[in-house]
Amino acid sequence: MRFIDLPADPLLAIFLDLDVEDVLALQQLCRALHEIGSLDYLWHKLVRTCNLPLDIPLGADSATLSGQELQAIVVKALKLDHNWRKPDARIRRAIPIMCSDRSSVNSMHLLPGGKWLITTQCAGSYDAPHTDLILWCLDDITSPVNVKTVPIDGYARSCQAYYQPAQHKFTVAVTLEQSERPEWIKVYHISLGSPAVVTHSESLGIRPVASDGAVYVVDDLRICGDTLGVIYRYISRQDMNFIDTIYLYLRNLVTGAAATITACEGRCCIHLFELFRDQYALACRHDLPAQVSIYDIPSSIISANLESPVNFGPDHILEGTLSTRCHLPHGRSFSYEASSGSLERGIPILSTMSFSWASPEVIMNRFSPPGHETRFIGLPTFASQAFLHRPAIGDHRQLGATGRRAVWVDSDELILRKWSASRHCRGETLSAGATVLTPPTSGLPFEQREIYRIAFDEATCRLCISLRTGELYVCDVL
């Protein structure tokens, strides 16, 4: 019996055991194999094991897409991966969004898919600062659109956004500070339309300045669905010693239910904070061996009960409910200078990019919390020549949402470098590695030493770059 004469079920079983590259090749042999290789059921299974960043439409569930749509997404991802791994891959075009007659973009958030960008720009005096919060549409990179500008009183330090496609609504949270006033969070709900409008906004003061001179400083914030998570630090001085305690403030932005949880005590620092639908992840610098702790979000926060939300005040501190701990493979205490969290095919994924000042070694980890469909996925440990020049700190380093790609500014040579994770392809392993993305003679319309902030989407390899001179560019790498 010829291979193509096999019944449909055995043929489908064979297809399910192949890599996507082999499925696409087998499809081309004849009409019968093309029919089997185009089944919705087959592609829904293949994308769950496809080890590539896929450009699934923002907020969409891959299970609702047809096999033809998923196949087109995978083909695009394969071409992008092939080009991204080339040593000579370069930025193809850089489109200016803002000119230099404005202040620098001090924070920005590029949402998955690279279509939507949130930026904050600050101006005004020290006593009366103000910020422009801007929602950009980058669907057509040659003609970026300012969808909505929201003026805010105060100086914005950071921003986070979450898109809910069913409501065509963005939820944006901004950390603000102003002289003689404690830091606070401003939350905006922006509905897309013609024009886009702010349907609701609220100010959230974390805690006031204490009478003993203690201060509360916001370190990080995340939004997932209707839940806002804020990491903030309590700093006081007692008996010539600094007391440093870190708290997590959780709030349901629909019901108003809120809780404050002790995140870390002692002179410590949270190097990783990610928020999921019903869990959150934390990693502290002093943890040894290096580990990520996964906690359950209190049910009162997740509940959709609008009538009687449970609201624990800032003086009612809860203890976190530990779900599990994940020990990272290197086992040492590294500085977690970049992390990301995402839902990949419905499964929570955590990624870390860690390094130590005492060593040129940089380690990437990618895993999902135990109890979910996938187990720990460790990316290869490496100390390649490309990493002997340590990455710059803070917003000069961006790790992709699923931990498969990264971009950073080389702090020694002041150029951009790119990294890609290893993956299996047709029985072979494409190794992890880093190469130069923008050499000194890259022909970019700006000086690389002027780079101030970067934002990166790994599924499209789209990169946004703000300069100290006030300019903002959106770049297609390939």
Side-chain angles (χ1 to χ4, degrees), residues 154-308:
Y155 178 87
R157 288 205 302 108
S158 61
C159 68
Q160 281 286 307
Y162 189 87
Y163 179 56
Q164 301 191 46
Q167 293 86 14
H168 300 285
K169 179 184 75 173
F170 285 90
T171 301
V172 185
V174 185
T175 304
L176 296 161
E177 62 182 27
Q178 197 168 5
S179 60
E180 306 302 325
R181 177 178 177 179
E183 291 186 342
W184 75 101
I185 308 293
K186 193 82 174 180
V187 179
Y188 295 91
H189 300 282
I190 303 175
S191 291
L192 296 179
S194 186
V197 296
V198 176
T199 58
H200 178 70
S201 65
E202 58 180 317
S203 295
L204 305 175
I206 303 301
R207 295 189 73 169
V209 175
S211 58
D212 62 356
V215 295
Y216 299 89
V217 179
V218 175
D219 280 353
D220 204 354
L221 73 160
R222 293 287 188 272
I223 303 175
C224 185
D226 296 323
T227 304
L228 169 70
V230 181
I231 292 288
Y232 71 96
R233 173 188 308 272
Y234 166 83
I235 305 175
S236 67
R237 187 171 180 175
Q238 298 178 8
D239 300 327
M240 302 302 292
N241 292 317
F242 284 97
I243 307 299
D244 194 349
T245 305
I246 299 178
Y247 297 99
L248 169 63
Y249 175 76
L250 293 169
R251 182 180 181 88
N252 187 308
L253 297 173
V254 174
T255 67
T260 303
I261 300 170
T262 301
C264 201
E265 293 183 302
R267 302 188 65 178
C268 57
C269 183
I270 296 290
H271 276 282
L272 182 150
F273 167 53
E274 295 299 340
L275 186 65
F276 299 105
R277 291 284 183 181
D278 54 1
Q279 291 181 317
Y280 60 92
L282 296 172
C284 297
R285 173 186 287 180
H286 63 63
D287 286 341
L288 193 64
Q291 61 187 6
V292 176
S293 299
I294 313 294
Y295 296 87
D296 294 326
I297 294 177
S299 58
S300 60
I301 303 296
I302 310 172
S303 172
N305 185 355
L306 290 168
E307 296 181 358
S308 56

Side-chain angles (χ1 to χ4, degrees), residues 328-330 350-352 354 363-367 376-379:
L328 302 185
H330 52 73
L350 278 166
S351 308
T352 65
S354 54
I363 293 179
M364 303 285 189
N365 292 300
R366 178 176 179 270
F367 58 95
F376 185 99
I377 307 171
L379 298 181

Side-chain angles (χ1 to χ4, degrees), residues 326-398:
C326 304
H327 293 277
L328 302 185
H330 52 73
R332 287 167 284 165
S333 182
F334 270 51
S335 297
Y336 295 94
E337 294 298 338
S339 67
S340 65
S342 66
L343 277 177
E344 185 178 12
R345 290 72 144 177
I347 301 167
I349 297 293
L350 278 166
S351 308
T352 65
M353 176 180 178
S354 54
F355 76 101
S356 171
W357 289 112
S359 167
E361 187 177 33
V362 177
I363 293 179
M364 303 285 189
N365 292 300
R366 178 176 179 270
F367 58 95
S368 62
H372 292 278
E373 188 169 326
T374 62
R375 295 184 178 180
F376 185 99
I377 307 171
L379 298 181
T381 297
F382 58 93
S384 67
Q385 192 70 22
F387 278 91
L388 296 178
H389 302 284
R390 292 191 183 87
I393 62 173
D395 290 314
H396 289 77
R397 178 187 297 117
Q398 289 284 302

